[in-house]
Amino acid sequence: MTTFDAVLCDLDGVLRQFDHAVQADIEARYGLPLMRTAFDPALIGPPTLGLATTLEWAESVAVALGGDERARQAVAEFVAVPFRVDEEVRALLARARERMPVVLVTNAMDSLEEHLDLLGLTYFADDVVSSARVGVAKPDRRIYEIAAERAGVPAERCLFVDDRLENVEAARALGMTGVHFRIADDLAAALGTLR
């Protein structure tokens, strides 16, 4: 018997993977701290909460890196780094969705819908809870409550999957079953009772 009736799953680092080697190469070529700057909470916070656009975020990163043409070119390349779907995770979630709702819960910007379309994931899940659209981000408890509401399942009957431990711990604090995702086998083990 399962201990959950819905799967709430993170997008980045779980279902969507970025090419980190390309990111590292861009940083090395330009000699700029792109990763650290791009994910500085002061810069990424506003677009993640829907208070700034993806373009405004990119410009703020370029300005923080010096604001010259070289910084803007580095940021443009960084923003365009390829991403892909983890097909093993997609298959596991698709199998779970045959039995229960699957909701994507992601700290994202206003470009999320375009990216889901590029990945062929627009209609993959039963719902998508984007921090940029709901105005709260993980690990704020409200985003988990919204996701459970959208799934139509009490929080304590949700399985929550994320690659960031702090996000998993926040879900567990609400009574959810939490899975700290590192590899697809982590998700497969949690879904094992569905086989």
Short mmCIF file of all heavy atoms in Angstrom, two decimals, residues 37-88:
data_model
loop_
_atom_site.label_atom_id
_atom_site.label_comp_id
_atom_site.label_asym_id
_atom_site.label_seq_id
_atom_site.Cartn_x
_atom_site.Cartn_y
_atom_site.Cartn_z
N THR A 37 27.07 34.64 -9.62
CA THR A 37 26.35 35.90 -9.82
C THR A 37 24.90 35.64 -10.25
O THR A 37 23.97 36.24 -9.71
CB THR A 37 27.06 36.76 -10.88
OG1 THR A 37 28.44 36.90 -10.50
CG2 THR A 37 26.43 38.14 -10.99
N ALA A 38 24.71 34.74 -11.20
CA ALA A 38 23.37 34.46 -11.72
C ALA A 38 22.43 33.95 -10.63
O ALA A 38 21.23 34.25 -10.65
CB ALA A 38 23.45 33.45 -12.86
N PHE A 39 22.98 33.18 -9.69
CA PHE A 39 22.15 32.59 -8.65
C PHE A 39 22.28 33.29 -7.30
O PHE A 39 21.84 32.77 -6.28
CB PHE A 39 22.43 31.09 -8.55
CG PHE A 39 22.04 30.37 -9.81
CD1 PHE A 39 23.00 29.95 -10.72
CD2 PHE A 39 20.70 30.16 -10.13
CE1 PHE A 39 22.64 29.32 -11.91
CE2 PHE A 39 20.33 29.54 -11.31
CZ PHE A 39 21.29 29.12 -12.20
N ASP A 40 22.84 34.49 -7.32
CA ASP A 40 22.88 35.33 -6.12
C ASP A 40 21.42 35.60 -5.72
O ASP A 40 20.63 36.09 -6.54
CB ASP A 40 23.60 36.64 -6.45
CG ASP A 40 23.64 37.62 -5.28
OD1 ASP A 40 22.74 37.58 -4.42
OD2 ASP A 40 24.58 38.43 -5.25
N PRO A 41 21.04 35.29 -4.49
CA PRO A 41 19.64 35.48 -4.07
C PRO A 41 19.10 36.89 -4.34
O PRO A 41 17.92 37.04 -4.67
CB PRO A 41 19.67 35.18 -2.57
CG PRO A 41 20.83 34.25 -2.39
CD PRO A 41 21.85 34.70 -3.41
N ALA A 42 19.94 37.89 -4.23
CA ALA A 42 19.49 39.27 -4.47
C ALA A 42 19.08 39.48 -5.93
O ALA A 42 18.21 40.29 -6.23
CB ALA A 42 20.58 40.26 -4.08
N LEU A 43 19.71 38.73 -6.84
CA LEU A 43 19.41 38.88 -8.27
C LEU A 43 18.33 37.91 -8.74
O LEU A 43 17.46 38.28 -9.53
CB LEU A 43 20.68 38.69 -9.10
CG LEU A 43 21.82 39.69 -8.86
CD1 LEU A 43 22.97 39.43 -9.82
CD2 LEU A 43 21.33 41.13 -8.98
N ILE A 44 18.40 36.67 -8.26
CA ILE A 44 17.46 35.67 -8.77
C ILE A 44 16.14 35.67 -8.02
O ILE A 44 15.13 35.18 -8.51
CB ILE A 44 18.09 34.26 -8.77
CG1 ILE A 44 17.35 33.37 -9.77
CG2 ILE A 44 18.13 33.66 -7.36
CD1 ILE A 44 18.09 32.16 -10.21
N GLY A 45 16.13 36.27 -6.83
CA GLY A 45 14.90 36.30 -6.04
C GLY A 45 13.73 36.97 -6.74
O GLY A 45 12.65 36.36 -6.87
N PRO A 46 13.88 38.21 -7.23
CA PRO A 46 12.74 38.90 -7.85
C PRO A 46 12.11 38.15 -9.03
O PRO A 46 10.89 37.96 -9.04
CB PRO A 46 13.33 40.25 -8.26
CG PRO A 46 14.42 40.47 -7.25
CD PRO A 46 15.03 39.12 -7.03
N PRO A 47 12.89 37.66 -10.02
CA PRO A 47 12.22 36.95 -11.12
C PRO A 47 11.59 35.63 -10.68
O PRO A 47 10.59 35.20 -11.25
CB PRO A 47 13.33 36.74 -12.15
CG PRO A 47 14.60 36.84 -11.37
CD PRO A 47 14.32 37.82 -10.28
N THR A 48 12.17 35.01 -9.67
CA THR A 48 11.62 33.75 -9.16
C THR A 48 10.27 33.97 -8.49
O THR A 48 9.45 33.06 -8.43
CB THR A 48 12.62 33.09 -8.18
OG1 THR A 48 13.85 32.87 -8.87
CG2 THR A 48 12.12 31.76 -7.67
N LEU A 49 10.05 35.18 -8.01
CA LEU A 49 8.77 35.50 -7.37
C LEU A 49 7.83 36.26 -8.30
O LEU A 49 6.79 36.76 -7.88
CB LEU A 49 9.02 36.32 -6.10
CG LEU A 49 9.75 35.58 -4.98
CD1 LEU A 49 10.08 36.52 -3.84
CD2 LEU A 49 8.93 34.38 -4.49
N GLY A 50 8.22 36.36 -9.58
CA GLY A 50 7.38 37.04 -10.55
C GLY A 50 7.44 38.55 -10.47
O GLY A 50 6.59 39.26 -11.01
N LEU A 51 8.48 39.07 -9.81
CA LEU A 51 8.62 40.53 -9.63
C LEU A 51 9.53 41.16 -10.67
O LEU A 51 9.72 42.37 -10.68
CB LEU A 51 9.15 40.82 -8.23
CG LEU A 51 8.29 40.28 -7.08
CD1 LEU A 51 8.98 40.49 -5.75
CD2 LEU A 51 6.91 40.94 -7.09
N ALA A 52 10.14 40.33 -11.52
CA ALA A 52 10.99 40.81 -12.61
C ALA A 52 10.94 39.76 -13.71
O ALA A 52 10.64 38.59 -13.46
CB ALA A 52 12.43 41.01 -12.13
N THR A 53 11.23 40.17 -14.93
CA THR A 53 11.22 39.23 -16.06
C THR A 53 12.57 38.53 -16.19
O THR A 53 13.56 38.95 -15.59
CB THR A 53 10.92 39.97 -17.37
OG1 THR A 53 12.03 40.84 -17.65
CG2 THR A 53 9.62 40.76 -17.28
N THR A 54 12.59 37.50 -17.01
CA THR A 54 13.84 36.80 -17.29
C THR A 54 14.84 37.76 -17.92
O THR A 54 16.03 37.72 -17.59
CB THR A 54 13.58 35.61 -18.24
OG1 THR A 54 12.62 34.73 -17.62
CG2 THR A 54 14.86 34.83 -18.52
N LEU A 55 14.35 38.63 -18.81
CA LEU A 55 15.24 39.59 -19.47
C LEU A 55 15.82 40.59 -18.47
O LEU A 55 17.01 40.94 -18.53
CB LEU A 55 14.50 40.34 -20.58
CG LEU A 55 14.16 39.52 -21.83
CD1 LEU A 55 13.31 40.34 -22.79
CD2 LEU A 55 15.43 39.04 -22.52
N GLU A 56 15.00 41.02 -17.53
CA GLU A 56 15.47 41.95 -16.50
C GLU A 56 16.51 41.28 -15.59
O GLU A 56 17.51 41.90 -15.21
CB GLU A 56 14.30 42.47 -15.66
CG GLU A 56 13.42 43.45 -16.44
CD GLU A 56 12.10 43.74 -15.76
OE1 GLU A 56 11.64 42.92 -14.93
OE2 GLU A 56 11.50 44.78 -16.09
N TRP A 57 16.29 40.01 -15.29
CA TRP A 57 17.26 39.24 -14.50
C TRP A 57 18.60 39.15 -15.25
O TRP A 57 19.66 39.40 -14.67
CB TRP A 57 16.72 37.85 -14.19
CG TRP A 57 17.75 36.89 -13.72
CD1 TRP A 57 18.35 36.84 -12.48
CD2 TRP A 57 18.33 35.82 -14.47
NE1 TRP A 57 19.26 35.81 -12.43
CE2 TRP A 57 19.25 35.16 -13.64
CE3 TRP A 57 18.15 35.34 -15.77
CZ2 TRP A 57 20.00 34.06 -14.06
CZ3 TRP A 57 18.88 34.25 -16.19
CH2 TRP A 57 19.80 33.63 -15.34
N ALA A 58 18.54 38.79 -16.53
CA ALA A 58 19.78 38.66 -17.32
C ALA A 58 20.54 39.98 -17.35
O ALA A 58 21.77 40.00 -17.22
CB ALA A 58 19.44 38.18 -18.73
N GLU A 59 19.81 41.08 -17.50
CA GLU A 59 20.46 42.39 -17.51
C GLU A 59 21.08 42.70 -16.14
O GLU A 59 22.19 43.25 -16.06
CB GLU A 59 19.44 43.47 -17.89
CG GLU A 59 19.99 44.89 -17.83
CD GLU A 59 21.16 45.18 -18.76
OE1 GLU A 59 21.43 44.39 -19.71
OE2 GLU A 59 21.82 46.21 -18.55
N SER A 60 20.41 42.32 -15.06
CA SER A 60 20.96 42.57 -13.73
C SER A 60 22.23 41.76 -13.49
O SER A 60 23.17 42.24 -12.84
CB SER A 60 19.92 42.26 -12.64
OG SER A 60 19.71 40.86 -12.48
N VAL A 61 22.29 40.57 -14.05
CA VAL A 61 23.49 39.74 -13.94
C VAL A 61 24.63 40.39 -14.73
O VAL A 61 25.77 40.49 -14.25
CB VAL A 61 23.23 38.29 -14.43
CG1 VAL A 61 24.53 37.48 -14.45
CG2 VAL A 61 22.19 37.60 -13.54
N ALA A 62 24.33 40.84 -15.95
CA ALA A 62 25.34 41.50 -16.78
C ALA A 62 25.88 42.75 -16.08
O ALA A 62 27.09 42.99 -16.06
CB ALA A 62 24.76 41.86 -18.15
N VAL A 63 25.01 43.54 -15.48
CA VAL A 63 25.42 44.75 -14.77
C VAL A 63 26.32 44.38 -13.59
O VAL A 63 27.37 45.01 -13.36
CB VAL A 63 24.19 45.56 -14.30
CG1 VAL A 63 24.60 46.66 -13.32
CG2 VAL A 63 23.48 46.17 -15.51
N ALA A 64 25.93 43.34 -12.85
CA ALA A 64 26.73 42.91 -11.70
C ALA A 64 28.12 42.41 -12.12
O ALA A 64 29.07 42.47 -11.34
CB ALA A 64 26.00 41.81 -10.94
N LEU A 65 28.24 41.96 -13.37
CA LEU A 65 29.52 41.45 -13.89
C LEU A 65 30.32 42.54 -14.60
O LEU A 65 31.31 42.26 -15.25
CB LEU A 65 29.27 40.28 -14.83
CG LEU A 65 28.74 39.00 -14.16
CD1 LEU A 65 28.30 37.99 -15.21
CD2 LEU A 65 29.80 38.39 -13.25
N GLY A 66 29.88 43.78 -14.49
CA GLY A 66 30.63 44.89 -15.08
C GLY A 66 29.83 45.74 -16.04
O GLY A 66 30.19 46.88 -16.31
N GLY A 67 28.77 45.14 -16.61
CA GLY A 67 27.87 45.91 -17.47
C GLY A 67 28.40 46.24 -18.86
O GLY A 67 27.74 46.95 -19.61
N ASP A 68 29.57 45.71 -19.22
CA ASP A 68 30.09 46.00 -20.56
C ASP A 68 29.59 44.96 -21.56
O ASP A 68 28.88 44.02 -21.22
CB ASP A 68 31.62 46.08 -20.55
CG ASP A 68 32.28 44.80 -20.05
OD1 ASP A 68 31.57 43.77 -19.86
OD2 ASP A 68 33.51 44.81 -19.86
N GLU A 69 30.00 45.14 -22.82
CA GLU A 69 29.54 44.26 -23.88
C GLU A 69 30.00 42.81 -23.65
O GLU A 69 29.26 41.86 -23.94
CB GLU A 69 30.05 44.77 -25.24
CG GLU A 69 29.42 44.06 -26.44
CD GLU A 69 27.89 44.03 -26.40
OE1 GLU A 69 27.27 45.03 -26.06
OE2 GLU A 69 27.32 42.94 -26.69
N ARG A 70 31.20 42.67 -23.11
CA ARG A 70 31.74 41.33 -22.83
C ARG A 70 30.87 40.61 -21.78
O ARG A 70 30.56 39.43 -21.92
CB ARG A 70 33.17 41.48 -22.32
CG ARG A 70 33.93 40.19 -22.24
CD ARG A 70 35.44 40.50 -22.10
NE ARG A 70 36.11 39.29 -21.69
CZ ARG A 70 36.19 38.88 -20.42
NH1 ARG A 70 35.64 39.58 -19.45
NH2 ARG A 70 36.81 37.75 -20.14
N ALA A 71 30.49 41.33 -20.74
CA ALA A 71 29.64 40.74 -19.70
C ALA A 71 28.29 40.35 -20.28
O ALA A 71 27.76 39.26 -19.99
CB ALA A 71 29.44 41.73 -18.55
N ARG A 72 27.74 41.21 -21.15
CA ARG A 72 26.43 40.90 -21.75
C ARG A 72 26.52 39.68 -22.67
O ARG A 72 25.60 38.87 -22.71
CB ARG A 72 25.91 42.12 -22.51
CG ARG A 72 25.40 43.20 -21.59
CD ARG A 72 24.63 44.31 -22.31
NE ARG A 72 23.95 45.14 -21.32
CZ ARG A 72 24.58 46.07 -20.59
NH1 ARG A 72 25.87 46.29 -20.76
NH2 ARG A 72 23.92 46.77 -19.68
N GLN A 73 27.62 39.56 -23.40
CA GLN A 73 27.79 38.40 -24.27
C GLN A 73 27.92 37.12 -23.45
O GLN A 73 27.34 36.09 -23.79
CB GLN A 73 29.04 38.59 -25.15
CG GLN A 73 29.28 37.46 -26.15
CD GLN A 73 28.12 37.24 -27.11
OE1 GLN A 73 27.51 38.20 -27.59
NE2 GLN A 73 27.80 35.99 -27.39
N ALA A 74 28.66 37.18 -22.35
CA ALA A 74 28.82 36.01 -21.46
C ALA A 74 27.47 35.58 -20.90
O ALA A 74 27.15 34.38 -20.88
CB ALA A 74 29.80 36.34 -20.33
N VAL A 75 26.68 36.55 -20.46
CA VAL A 75 25.37 36.24 -19.90
C VAL A 75 24.45 35.66 -20.98
O VAL A 75 23.71 34.70 -20.73
CB VAL A 75 24.74 37.49 -19.24
CG1 VAL A 75 23.27 37.24 -18.87
CG2 VAL A 75 25.54 37.89 -18.01
N ALA A 76 24.51 36.22 -22.19
CA ALA A 76 23.68 35.71 -23.29
C ALA A 76 24.00 34.24 -23.57
O ALA A 76 23.10 33.42 -23.76
CB ALA A 76 23.89 36.55 -24.54
N GLU A 77 25.29 33.91 -23.57
CA GLU A 77 25.69 32.51 -23.80
C GLU A 77 25.24 31.63 -22.64
O GLU A 77 24.78 30.51 -22.83
CB GLU A 77 27.21 32.41 -23.96
CG GLU A 77 27.71 32.91 -25.30
CD GLU A 77 29.21 32.65 -25.48
OE1 GLU A 77 29.70 31.59 -25.04
OE2 GLU A 77 29.89 33.52 -26.06
N PHE A 78 25.38 32.16 -21.42
CA PHE A 78 25.02 31.40 -20.23
C PHE A 78 23.52 31.09 -20.21
O PHE A 78 23.11 29.96 -19.92
CB PHE A 78 25.41 32.21 -18.98
CG PHE A 78 25.17 31.49 -17.69
CD1 PHE A 78 26.05 30.52 -17.24
CD2 PHE A 78 24.07 31.80 -16.91
CE1 PHE A 78 25.84 29.86 -16.04
CE2 PHE A 78 23.85 31.14 -15.71
CZ PHE A 78 24.73 30.17 -15.28
N VAL A 79 22.71 32.07 -20.54
CA VAL A 79 21.25 31.89 -20.56
C VAL A 79 20.84 30.89 -21.64
O VAL A 79 19.83 30.20 -21.51
CB VAL A 79 20.56 33.26 -20.77
CG1 VAL A 79 19.07 33.10 -21.03
CG2 VAL A 79 20.77 34.14 -19.54
N ALA A 80 21.64 30.79 -22.70
CA ALA A 80 21.31 29.91 -23.82
C ALA A 80 21.88 28.49 -23.68
O ALA A 80 21.79 27.70 -24.62
CB ALA A 80 21.80 30.53 -25.13
N VAL A 81 22.45 28.17 -22.51
CA VAL A 81 23.02 26.83 -22.31
C VAL A 81 21.94 25.77 -22.54
O VAL A 81 20.81 25.92 -22.05
CB VAL A 81 23.62 26.70 -20.88
CG1 VAL A 81 23.88 25.24 -20.54
CG2 VAL A 81 24.91 27.49 -20.78
N PRO A 82 22.29 24.71 -23.27
CA PRO A 82 21.30 23.68 -23.58
C PRO A 82 20.78 22.97 -22.32
O PRO A 82 21.50 22.83 -21.34
CB PRO A 82 22.06 22.69 -24.46
CG PRO A 82 23.31 23.38 -24.89
CD PRO A 82 23.60 24.42 -23.86
N PHE A 83 19.52 22.54 -22.41
CA PHE A 83 18.95 21.71 -21.35
C PHE A 83 18.18 20.58 -22.01
O PHE A 83 17.84 20.64 -23.19
CB PHE A 83 18.08 22.53 -20.40
CG PHE A 83 17.08 23.43 -21.07
CD1 PHE A 83 15.88 22.93 -21.57
CD2 PHE A 83 17.33 24.79 -21.20
CE1 PHE A 83 14.95 23.77 -22.18
CE2 PHE A 83 16.40 25.64 -21.80
CZ PHE A 83 15.21 25.12 -22.30
N ARG A 84 17.93 19.55 -21.25
CA ARG A 84 17.27 18.36 -21.80
C ARG A 84 16.41 17.72 -20.72
O ARG A 84 16.57 17.99 -19.53
CB ARG A 84 18.31 17.35 -22.28
CG ARG A 84 19.18 16.81 -21.15
CD ARG A 84 20.17 15.74 -21.57
NE ARG A 84 21.00 15.34 -20.44
CZ ARG A 84 20.61 14.52 -19.47
NH1 ARG A 84 19.39 14.02 -19.49
NH2 ARG A 84 21.42 14.20 -18.47
N VAL A 85 15.53 16.84 -21.16
CA VAL A 85 14.71 16.06 -20.24
C VAL A 85 15.48 14.81 -19.86
O VAL A 85 16.11 14.17 -20.71
CB VAL A 85 13.38 15.66 -20.92
CG1 VAL A 85 12.61 14.67 -20.05
CG2 VAL A 85 12.54 16.89 -21.20
N ASP A 86 15.45 14.45 -18.58
CA ASP A 86 15.98 13.17 -18.14
C ASP A 86 14.91 12.14 -18.48
O ASP A 86 13.85 12.10 -17.84
CB ASP A 86 16.25 13.20 -16.63
CG ASP A 86 16.87 11.91 -16.12
OD1 ASP A 86 16.39 10.81 -16.51
OD2 ASP A 86 17.82 11.98 -15.31
N GLU A 87 15.17 11.35 -19.51
CA GLU A 87 14.14 10.44 -20.03
C GLU A 87 13.77 9.35 -19.02
O GLU A 87 12.62 8.88 -19.00
CB GLU A 87 14.59 9.82 -21.35
CG GLU A 87 14.69 10.81 -22.49
CD GLU A 87 13.36 11.49 -22.83
OE1 GLU A 87 12.28 10.97 -22.47
OE2 GLU A 87 13.39 12.58 -23.47
N GLU A 88 14.71 8.96 -18.18
CA GLU A 88 14.40 7.94 -17.16
C GLU A 88 13.41 8.51 -16.14
O GLU A 88 12.44 7.85 -15.76
CB GLU A 88 15.70 7.50 -16.47
CG GLU A 88 15.56 6.19 -15.73
CD GLU A 88 16.89 5.67 -15.21
OE1 GLU A 88 17.96 6.22 -15.56
OE2 GLU A 88 16.84 4.70 -14.44
#
